[in-house]
Amino acid sequence: MDEAPPLIVTVALDAAAFDRLQALRRRHFPPARNLIPAHLTLFHKLPGESAAEVVRTLGALVRRTTPFAFDPQRMGLRFLGRGVAIEMPSRELDALRRTLADGWQDWLTPQDRHGFRPHVTIQNKVDASESRALFDALTASFTPFDASATGLLLWRYLGGPWEAAGHFPFTAETKNQDAEAPREAAADQIPLRHPTS
């Protein structure tokens, strides 16, 4: 029997922030390697055979979580050596990930055990000179922007491409019911196939 594909957990972003980051990724990521949409990863590799437990845990967590904003005052660019990322800091996200990591400690790979620095990669796997040029160009014009986390997304890793395996909107009661709008918009992020033009 084939082994179940590993699982990945990412953050669902509001539609405007996702569109902005997706446009940057399409513009700067090598097209032949750009197999997945812009994403903010919480966990890179959870055991696929434990999918039912992962789904239960995520479902319980989002029912007591409200959408929350990232901190634009701490947002910035990160040079990756062969790529560039946008840092997306949030104290709420740090706490949420810590809660999940504590429960999944036995499953975590070394990559997921190390410090968590939330970011969205918009370029990777290019020559260092190309990534440095992009980092310098973006640094000269970068302006922090509003972005919100609206839920969690679960994916199956298929050796390159990802397959959508679940969307978990944050559904806890909020004082401001306008939070409904970004939750609904986040569902549009699920399809992995996107235009290559």
Side-chain angles (χ1 to χ4, degrees), residues 75-104:
M75 190 179 290
L77 297 167
R78 187 192 310 174
F79 180 60
L80 302 176
R82 296 184 61 200
V84 177
I86 296 180
E87 296 185 331
M88 305 283 289
S90 163
R91 290 180 178 82
E92 292 92 339
L93 184 60
D94 290 344
L96 182 150
R97 188 188 184 277
R98 200 160 41 244
T99 296
L100 290 172
D102 287 347
W104 292 343

Side-chain angles (χ1 to χ4, degrees), residues 25-36 124-126 130 194 196-197:
R25 185 177 173 95
R26 284 181 179 165
R27 189 176 307 133
H28 300 297
F29 212 96
R33 296 175 177 266
N34 193 18
L35 304 177
I36 55 179
N124 206 3
K125 301 176 177 154
V126 300
E130 183 179 346
H194 53 75
T196 56
S197 58

Side-chain angles (χ1 to χ4, degrees), residues 23-158:
L24 285 167
R25 185 177 173 95
R26 284 181 179 165
R27 189 176 307 133
H28 300 297
F29 212 96
R33 296 175 177 266
N34 193 18
L35 304 177
I36 55 179
H39 56 278
L40 193 166
T41 303
L42 290 183
F43 297 95
H44 296 80
K45 188 177 181 182
L46 298 174
E49 59 273 16
S50 300
E53 185 174 343
V54 170
V55 166
R56 281 194 300 271
T57 299
L58 295 179
L61 180 63
V62 297
R63 284 193 295 273
R64 61 179 190 268
T65 305
T66 59
F68 54 85
F70 292 89
D71 183 355
Q73 300 305 314
R74 296 166 54 217
M75 190 179 290
L77 297 167
R78 187 192 310 174
F79 180 60
L80 302 176
R82 296 184 61 200
V84 177
I86 296 180
E87 296 185 331
M88 305 283 289
S90 163
R91 290 180 178 82
E92 292 92 339
L93 184 60
D94 290 344
L96 182 150
R97 188 188 184 277
R98 200 160 41 244
T99 296
L100 290 172
D102 287 347
W104 292 343
Q105 196 63 228
D106 292 342
W107 293 345
L108 300 185
T109 62
Q111 182 179 17
D112 283 333
R113 288 180 188 275
H114 291 318
F116 175 57
R117 294 179 63 193
H119 64 277
V120 175
T121 300
I122 59 169
Q123 183 194 63
N124 206 3
K125 301 176 177 154
V126 300
D127 289 340
S129 59
E130 183 179 346
S131 61
R132 173 56 72 179
L134 177 62
F135 178 79
D136 290 344
L138 291 178
T139 297
S141 60
F142 181 77
T143 302
F145 55 92
D146 291 334
S148 297
T150 62
L152 300 175
L153 301 173
L154 182 65
W155 311 88
R156 295 182 191 90
Y157 177 69
L158 304 180

